[in-house]
Amino acid sequence: PSPSSSFSSSSSAAVETPRWHWIIAGMCELSSVITAIGSGMTFKYWTLFFKQDFGFSPAGVCVMNLVIWLAIAASNQLFQPLVRRLGRLPMANAFHISGTALLFLISNQSLGPAIEVPLVIVRNALMNSGGPLVQSLILELVPSKHRGKWSSLASLRRMTWSGSAFIGGLLSDKHDYRYAFFITACVHSVAGSLLLLVNLLLWMRPVDKPNMTSGSPVAGDHPRASAAAELGPVAAAATAAAGR
């Protein structure tokens, strides 16, 4: 081929790749926003749910919340080898699907505190483990000069909580807390489907980023990817501050 045609093809490729990054990053962010909308209907009502359905004392609820935070931090440490081996996006999908399935189970019927309390702890740990992985992918896909602007979208996720928490309260008052949990699980299913679509698109057309859709050795990880992996518990705590 002529130099001009080679230059044209390389130029179009250079333009095409960032556009693909923006599309994938936008789909990941949209999935996170939808997840936050669903979570806002539920997260603030776990305390009332356990007080009303199982007669937990205020001290018992506080102990359970503490165990949930510890489980979130522990899960981010325990799953790091799997994240490095299988890739961040597949593991984020696995966390999201598992957490959503557990929420459907919890919303179905009362299983008693001996079963339901561990399910809630595991469910919250799983749902809050995937968020930092998705956010690390977004930060790698978005050019560094635009990351500050993109991070401002996090305020949109926080804003959705006020509206969705109000809707969750209405659903709980009109029906019960389990009904609100069911609606949350349905919303999370939509977000999970979008995340699965992202995984499929990246399988069909990968982006040149390490440890994203497939595993790679720790030594071969990109510095930013390694830093995100090492800061997993911190990122998880920031995500769980809003809660899922």
Side-chain angles (χ1 to χ4, degrees), residues 44 58 111 200:
K44 295 185 178 181
L111 302 172
L200 177 62

Side-chain angles (χ1 to χ4, degrees), residues 4-154:
S4 60
S5 62
S6 300
F7 178 79
S8 301
S9 60
S10 61
S11 299
S12 61
V15 173
E16 185 180 11
T17 302
R19 185 182 298 120
W20 182 240
H21 288 192
W22 281 109
I23 292 172
I24 296 299
M27 293 177 68
C28 288
E29 187 65 41
L30 180 58
S31 174
S32 296
V33 170
I34 296 173
T35 300
I37 292 173
S39 297
M41 301 180 191
T42 297
F43 193 77
K44 295 185 178 181
Y45 298 108
W46 285 117
T47 299
L48 296 175
F49 167 69
F50 280 101
K51 288 177 67 176
Q52 177 176 304
D53 279 39
F54 299 123
F56 274 34
S57 65
V61 171
C62 289
V63 169
M64 181 175 172
N65 285 332
L66 175 62
V67 173
I68 289 175
W69 298 122
L70 292 175
I72 291 170
S75 67
N76 276 268
Q77 291 285 5
L78 292 174
F79 288 121
Q80 282 305 313
L82 276 177
V83 171
R84 291 189 177 98
R85 175 172 294 184
L86 301 178
R88 287 171 289 169
L89 188 56
M91 285 304 299
N93 273 285
F95 290 142
H96 192 101
I97 293 171
S98 301
T100 302
L102 288 178
L103 190 56
F104 272 121
L105 180 61
I106 294 167
S107 68
N108 185 37
Q109 62 180 355
S110 178
L111 302 172
I115 297 177
E116 208 145 339
V117 169
L119 285 181
V120 171
I121 293 172
V122 172
R123 180 262 165 195
N124 279 279
L126 289 173
M127 286 300 295
N128 285 281
S129 294
L133 300 178
V134 175
Q135 293 307 307
S136 70
L137 297 179
I138 293 173
L139 289 178
E140 287 191 15
L141 290 169
V142 174
S144 57
K145 64 180 180 179
H146 294 300
R147 284 178 194 157
K149 302 172 187 176
W150 194 278
S151 296
S152 64
L153 291 175

